[in-house]
Amino acid sequence: HPDTIARSNICLKGSMRRAVLETNVPRESAVRAASETLARSMGVDNVSGSLAAGRYGNVILADKELNLKAVIQKGVRIV
């Protein structure tokens, strides 16, 4: 399933949302864990995990409650 991590039943979006809204993890820390840290652990941090020159332009836009509003993948809005 595309919403899971490494074929587990863990949903990254749901986990990040719960961390921020239910356990008061700072948004910046949750975003870093879901992007930079995850990319590094998967060995793809040279092309993904942050917005920098030479990396994929993948962005998820969310409201204050972390409800998905848009997805931009490789620079193209897909949702």
Side-chain angles (χ1 to χ4, degrees), residues 13-79:
K13 182 182 78 163
S15 296
M16 190 174 97
R17 189 170 194 266
R18 277 191 302 281
V20 172
L21 299 177
E22 295 175 19
T23 63
N24 298 317
V25 170
R27 289 178 195 273
E28 297 81 8
S29 297
V31 169
R32 183 168 288 113
S35 56
E36 292 176 18
T37 304
L38 183 58
R40 190 175 315 111
S41 73
M42 294 173 61
V44 296
D45 55 316
N46 60 326
V47 295
S48 187
S50 67
L51 296 177
R55 297 186 183 205
Y56 296 124
N58 298 336
V59 178
I60 294 174
L61 303 175
D63 62 17
K64 283 184 163 186
E65 297 298 315
L66 298 176
N67 296 304
L68 184 67
K69 294 297 179 184
V71 176
I72 301 169
Q73 185 176 45
K74 296 182 182 179
V76 177
R77 185 174 178 159
I78 62 171
V79 173

